[in-house]
Amino acid sequence: EDFDYPDMAKIAGERALSDAGVPYSAIEQACVGYVYGDSTCGQRAIYHSLGLSGIPIINVNNNCSTGSTALFMARQLIQGGLVDCALALGFEKMERGSLSSKFMDRTNPMDKHMEVMFNTYGMAAAPAAPQMFGNAGREHMEKYGTTPEHFAKIAWKNHKHSTNNPYSQFQDEYSLDQVKQSRKVFEFLTLLQCCPTSDGAGAAVLASEGFVRRHGLEHQAVEILAQEMVTDLATTFEDNSCMKMVGYDMTSLAAKKCFETAGLKPSDVNVIELHDCFSANELITYEALGLCPEGKAGELIDRGDNTYGGQWVVNPSGGLISKGHPLGATGNNNYDQVTSNP
């Protein structure tokens, strides 16, 4: 649609407030995520869409984990007792085509990550992101015997799931052969195994337990049992591993912390939404989350343990591959979160 970020933010924000049964006047602080846009887009998005109440508005830019970062920060405000009710809002209006750098006169923040890839597989004439994650998939195939079909099955599954999500950018079901035979983007990654660039917004209202009880919202509140954020470790750069370069160890550590905090284990979980920017990342994330031993993700896929009827339903939304990846409104890179609906 031809609509701008204030329009998207208005829709997402109003729907979140309505769903929560909370007026904007109850919001004490807002954390707003976006990657592409001038400074203070968050203020513009809220001022003339939701209200001019004078609350602090913090703009968040954290690449593909921007949406999760806004949620993380809003939750911290409540955990710290600074506010009782906060809004996490995210949006993105993106350019067509693959992600690219905007500031060519300064150090690229991904330069050291790209060095790892260059030293292991070199550089190809393809966009950087599918190369990075595609090479992580290549590494997994070389180490564990995973096949291109395993990655294609993930995309086939996510596209199938998307038919149940009215908000998904794409809601089409494809055969496994159609996924495998779609246009090649990099190595085994085909077009239908890659997330699209997307315009969109999302919002969540966060509140303390006291606020929930005072306003009689217990019947609809979803509790965040645990949420962890992890950034790069030394192994990202020192182990010459593309899997670690795209975040395997970060995800593994975040999952470990999250499950420990929640007092749960992977087998206690029923539904998982994870960062499937490319099918390769979903596959290696199965192992990083502890859903199966290292090297066994292919067997998990072949058993159907990532969809309805299996042990977990992974990305019932259709995942980023189908629902789109507007960075400010999506993204759980470096993140793990366990929620419960009491």
Side-chain angles (χ1 to χ4, degrees), residues 99-125:
L99 302 181
S100 60
S101 297
K102 299 299 177 190
F103 300 98
M104 308 306 292
D105 61 343
R106 62 205 71 182
T107 300
N108 188 307
M110 297 299 295
D111 63 342
K112 297 298 182 182
H113 294 80
M114 298 299 285
E115 273 183 28
V116 174
M117 185 178 75
F118 184 82
N119 291 335
T120 50
Y121 289 105
M123 289 288 291

Side-chain angles (χ1 to χ4, degrees), residues 215-238:
H215 292 81
L217 301 172
E218 294 94 333
H219 67 289
Q220 67 199 83
V222 176
E223 184 177 7
I224 300 178
L225 300 180
Q227 184 184 25
E228 297 289 341
M229 177 183 182
V230 173
T231 55
D232 281 296
L233 307 164
T235 53
T236 300
F237 307 103
E238 294 176 357

Side-chain angles (χ1 to χ4, degrees), residues 2 5 18 21 23 35 39 44 55 66 109 135 182 196 209 218 228 250 287 320 330:
D2 183 22
Y5 72 89
S18 175
V35 175
S39 180
R44 176 62 182 83
I55 62 168
T66 297
N135 282 325
S182 60
E209 190 165 337
E218 294 94 333
E228 297 289 341
M250 281 193 285
E287 297 173 12
L320 304 176
T330 54

Side-chain angles (χ1 to χ4, degrees), residues 3-74:
F3 66 155
D4 207 349
Y5 72 89
D7 308 308
M8 301 180 224
K10 178 180 173 67
I11 294 168
E14 287 182 345
R15 288 181 182 174
L17 291 165
S18 175
D19 181 64
V22 172
Y24 180 69
S25 58
I27 302 295
E28 299 170 75
Q29 198 155 327
C31 300
V32 185
Y34 65 95
V35 175
Y36 296 110
D38 289 329
S39 180
T40 69
C41 283
Q43 280 84 340
R44 176 62 182 83
I46 286 179
Y47 283 175
H48 307 289
S49 299
L50 301 179
L52 286 156
S53 58
I55 62 168
I57 298 172
I58 301 168
N59 292 283
V60 181
N61 179 340
N62 216 14
N63 209 358
C64 294
S65 61
T66 297
S68 293
T69 305
L71 188 74
F72 183 79
M73 292 181 68

Side-chain angles (χ1 to χ4, degrees), residues 199-264:
D199 293 348
V205 176
L206 291 91
S208 66
E209 190 165 337
F211 182 97
V212 168
R213 295 192 186 284
R214 285 195 305 274
H215 292 81
L217 301 172
E218 294 94 333
H219 67 289
Q220 67 199 83
V222 176
E223 184 177 7
I224 300 178
L225 300 180
Q227 184 184 25
E228 297 289 341
M229 177 183 182
V230 173
T231 55
D232 281 296
L233 307 164
T235 53
T236 300
F237 307 103
E238 294 176 357
D239 287 9
N240 285 320
S241 164
C242 283
M243 286 171 57
K244 294 182 178 183
M245 180 265 291
V246 299
Y248 185 94
D249 284 355
M250 281 193 285
T251 299
S252 181
L253 179 58
K256 181 174 181 290
K257 288 182 171 184
C258 218
F259 285 122
E260 284 177 357
T261 301
L264 299 170

